[in-house]
Amino acid sequence: MTTKFNIFTTLFLFFAVSGSFAQKQNFLVLGDMHHDRLEYHDMEWLSKKPDDLRQVTKEYTIFTKENWEDFCAILAKRASTTKPPVSAVLQLGDISEGLAGNPQKAVEMAKGVMADVEKSGIPAPWVITKGNHDITGPGAEEAFKEIYIPTFQKQLNDPSITSANYAYKTGDALFVCFDPWDREGDPLQKLENNLKNNDAKYKFVMVHEPVIPVNERCWHLYRTDNTKREKLLKIIAENNAIVLCAHLHIYAVVKRDTQYGPIVQILVNSVVKDRNLLEPKKVITEYGSSLAKNVPQWEPKSLEQRIKWLDDEAVNVTYFKQTDLPGYGILTIDSKKDNITFSYYPAFGKKPFDTFSVTKLMK
């Protein structure tokens, strides 16, 4: 009798726990990484680009050498110990530094980066968005198609992926990678099709460059094409999609209202220069032209235009937070509670810097 009771109790607890896990999913979110090694570059070609040469030799190759493996170990541990373990890694572009300098080196770089992705030790498939650096330099676009796309197919067990405009569904979540640089067809139409032709309960747009400007540079998609930008906002809002992006090497969260519904954008930076940087130098919560006015030394010639962009956006922005911390995110979807939360961990830190309900922010 006792034995039977123990068996039935064990089975009940197992299925109860399994059921609760089935209702919950975790995802690891990574921004720019700029994986780089000196041997990936044609140094003669790179020497003609002084600022890029400085970044490669003084920054990204050093960061990769000193931090990549240890950072991946931190990520792998977080991914496996989070309950339930992460279902996928969401990488938001510029996983590589690019700028290899010639087609042969571009292939070597792409192979090296993708090999290190597969050796990362993270027990989950990678969903990778195309970044501008990933296709910068002679032969880079061709190398992306030759090396990256087959890796996407392998990681996600999906041979139908033929470009960086693709969708990945797991459980109740749909992640749509958006490539605005796609020259084969209309990228916006592909985005709309990928979002609409799926019955997933929760939808996310993964894109490298932000949709909404969040710092003094005002780099955001279709900023000089109002027609395309309006269509992009409409597609995202009508599908209740959450935007995950990178590009600016900061952490930022913004909510922007549109006539079609609200848009929440989360921007992540995973370029770890200092593994012990656990506290931000500053946190900005005021959205508007002050973002540009407070950094007047950056491109003074475009200041007037950037002030206008920010003032125009500010009318519709109802929440904003921005800081300089590098790190990674854990995106949690709890279908039973119908709630999405996001936690941002700084550098190699064990405790999150920020945690909030994305669902509440969307309301």
Side-chain angles (χ1 to χ4, degrees):
M1 185 73 176
T2 303
T3 303
K4 287 184 179 181
F5 175 79
N6 287 339
I7 291 174
F8 285 125
T9 301
T10 301
L11 287 173
F12 173 79
L13 290 173
F14 172 79
F15 286 114
V17 171
S18 299
S20 66
F21 276 1
Q23 305 272 347
K24 195 173 182 181
Q25 289 178 283
N26 287 308
F27 300 90
L28 182 64
V29 186
L30 301 174
D32 293 56
M33 301 186 82
H34 290 266
H35 183 290
D36 200 11
R37 302 190 193 282
L38 281 176
E39 59 265 29
Y40 295 157
H41 295 275
D42 178 337
M43 298 306 292
E44 182 179 353
W45 178 87
L46 191 62
S47 66
K48 299 172 185 177
K49 301 177 177 295
D51 193 50
D52 290 324
L53 178 65
R54 176 192 60 79
Q55 288 187 335
V56 166
T57 57
K58 303 296 184 182
E59 296 182 17
Y60 296 125
T61 55
I62 294 173
F63 303 154
T64 300
K65 183 177 181 180
E66 293 182 350
N67 292 327
W68 174 272
E69 289 187 3
D70 289 345
F71 190 43
C72 284
I74 294 287
L75 299 175
K77 184 176 181 180
R78 178 71 62 191
S80 59
T81 57
T82 299
K83 296 182 180 180
V86 302
S87 298
V89 180
L90 313 176
Q91 200 282 322
L92 301 167
D94 279 6
I95 194 170
S96 71
E97 169 60 3
L99 297 157
N102 66 53
Q104 180 181 344
K105 288 291 185 182
V107 169
E108 289 178 15
M109 178 180 286
K111 285 182 176 179
V113 174
M114 290 297 99
D116 277 356
V117 163
E118 296 190 335
K119 291 189 297 184
S120 66
I122 302 174
W126 288 59
V127 186
I128 300 175
T129 311
K130 180 194 284 184
N132 57 299
H133 273 259
D134 300 322
I135 54 169
T136 298
E141 290 193 49
E142 293 78 6
F144 189 95
K145 292 179 181 178
E146 180 184 344
I147 308 300
Y148 278 63
I149 298 301
T151 303
F152 299 171
Q153 294 173 346
K154 180 181 177 183
Q155 283 285 320
L156 304 176
N157 192 28
D158 184 358
S160 71
I161 298 173
T162 57
S163 77
N165 274 310
Y166 67 96
Y168 174 68
K169 185 176 184 293
T170 174
D172 290 328
L174 174 72
F175 298 97
V176 177
C177 291
F178 177 44
D179 173 15
W181 302 291
D182 190 345
R183 287 179 284 215
E184 298 177 5
D186 180 358
L188 284 170
Q189 189 60 57
K190 293 179 182 180
L191 173 65
E192 186 170 26
N193 291 343
N194 280 330
L195 285 168
K196 285 190 172 181
N197 296 335
N198 199 291
D199 60 357
K201 188 175 182 180
Y202 307 104
K203 297 182 179 182
F204 301 82
V205 172
M206 294 172 55
V207 60
H208 183 60
E209 191 170 358
V211 173
I212 303 160
V214 289
N215 75 347
E216 74 280 353
R217 302 193 177 196
C218 290
W219 290 342
H220 58 291
L221 287 173
Y222 304 128
R223 54 190 173 273
T224 60
D225 190 328
N226 289 332
T227 301
K228 285 187 176 180
R229 183 161 194 266
E230 188 65 21
K231 184 176 181 180
L232 175 62
L233 295 175
K234 184 174 185 289
I235 291 169
I236 294 169
E238 286 187 342
N239 284 280
N240 297 313
I242 296 156
V243 177
L244 304 174
C245 61
H247 192 50
L248 300 178
H249 295 203
I250 57 175
Y251 168 65
V253 181
V254 62
K255 177 185 177 182
R256 184 199 193 277
D257 290 329
T258 76
Q259 61 179 306
Y260 316 105
I263 294 175
V264 170
Q265 171 183 283
I266 303 170
L267 192 151
V268 177
N269 170 33
S270 301
V271 177
V272 180
K273 301 179 181 181
D274 179 357
R275 62 177 65 193
N276 297 313
L277 183 57
L278 306 181
E279 296 291 336
K281 296 175 183 176
K282 60 181 177 180
V283 177
I284 301 171
T285 57
E286 179 184 346
Y287 189 93
S289 57
S290 60
L291 290 171
K293 291 176 181 176
N294 289 341
V295 193
Q297 68 273 21
W298 195 82
E299 285 195 3
K301 291 182 180 180
S302 66
L303 181 59
E304 184 177 347
Q305 173 63 75
R306 290 181 287 116
I307 287 173
K308 184 179 186 309
W309 280 332
L310 289 165
D311 280 340
D312 290 346
E313 289 291 301
V315 177
N316 298 303
V317 169
T318 57
Y319 179 87
F320 180 63
K321 178 184 285 188
Q322 184 233 93
T323 185
D324 57 340
L325 279 180
Y328 63 93
I330 294 292
L331 178 74
T332 301
I333 298 174
D334 190 329
S335 299
K336 186 176 182 179
K337 295 182 179 179
D338 193 23
N339 187 48
I340 302 169
T341 58
F342 186 83
S343 295
Y344 189 68
Y345 290 80
F348 284 22
K350 295 181 179 180
K351 297 180 179 179
F353 159 74
D354 192 25
T355 298
F356 65 97
S357 170
V358 183
T359 303
K360 288 182 180 178
L361 197 56
M362 285 284 285
K363 292 179 179 178

